[in-house]
Amino acid sequence: MRFEDELLTHLPRLRRVAHALARNRADADDLLQAAVERTLTRRDQWQAGTRLDAWAIRILRNLWIDTVRAQARRRETFVAPEAGDAVGRQGEQEMAVEMHNIGRAMGTLPPEQREVIALVMVEGFAYREAAEILDIPIGTLTSRLVRGREALLGALGEAA
């Protein structure tokens, strides 16, 4: 029997397991769809001669565990949707002024310090990566970064 045909015969069982796990029809249908998709895309990992239904149920169960963990993380990480209503409204002017001050302070730096700060502090490149991008020794990058930070903090202190 072809892989897809055998999987089709197991859909009722997979659907029942998905409903048992999710306890909600819409979530169970989404879970089943994701499990069938993953089963099909990973068919090369299935070992012929073993039970396809057991393997597909294990995939379904692992997806459910991932879903539950993600939901738990979202509950721990994010605040209630109502709390986000004011985000972006309060402090917009202060943020705009601060960004202007930072931009102006960056403009006072020599180009070699400005590019190092842009790569490391703004873009988040590791020192070694930034040194490779700029084709300079890492020691040179480090000294430019230290001098640039001091100059930037000095310029920002004057702007305050």
Side-chain angles (χ1 to χ4, degrees), residues 19-128:
H19 280 272
L21 292 172
R23 290 178 266 145
N24 168 316
R25 184 180 191 137
D27 291 342
D29 289 344
D30 291 345
L31 178 61
L32 177 64
Q33 180 178 348
V36 168
E37 179 183 351
R38 184 163 295 174
T39 301
L40 289 170
T41 59
R42 297 190 179 169
R43 76 177 85 193
D44 59 320
Q45 296 175 8
W46 177 65
Q47 296 174 350
T50 61
R51 291 185 52 176
L52 179 59
D53 62 337
W55 185 66
I57 289 171
R58 193 168 30 252
I59 289 172
L60 184 128
R61 182 179 173 274
N62 288 339
L63 284 168
W64 177 247
I65 290 169
D66 292 346
T67 300
V68 169
R69 286 180 182 158
Q71 288 171 345
R73 278 192 303 273
R74 276 193 294 279
R75 280 193 301 275
E76 292 170 4
T77 305
F78 298 110
V79 296
E82 312 80 57
D85 290 343
V87 171
R89 293 188 194 130
Q90 299 171 344
E92 282 181 356
Q93 288 179 324
E94 292 84 359
M95 180 63 79
V97 168
E98 196 60 35
M99 292 304 291
H100 175 72
N101 289 340
I102 292 171
R104 196 177 71 224
M106 285 282 287
T108 66
L109 299 177
E112 59 274 357
Q113 290 176 2
R114 192 170 47 245
E115 67 186 0
V116 167
I117 287 180
L119 288 175
V120 174
M121 296 178 70
V122 177
E123 296 301 323
F125 283 99
Y127 287 17
R128 185 167 309 285

Side-chain angles (χ1 to χ4, degrees), residues 1-2 4 6 8 11 17 23 32-33 38 45 49 81 88 108 122 136 139 144:
M1 183 180 287
R2 271 186 18 171
E4 293 86 356
E6 186 176 349
L8 281 173
L11 281 181
V17 173
R23 290 178 266 145
L32 177 64
Q33 180 178 348
R38 184 163 295 174
Q45 296 175 8
T108 66
V122 177
I136 58 174
R144 288 180 185 175

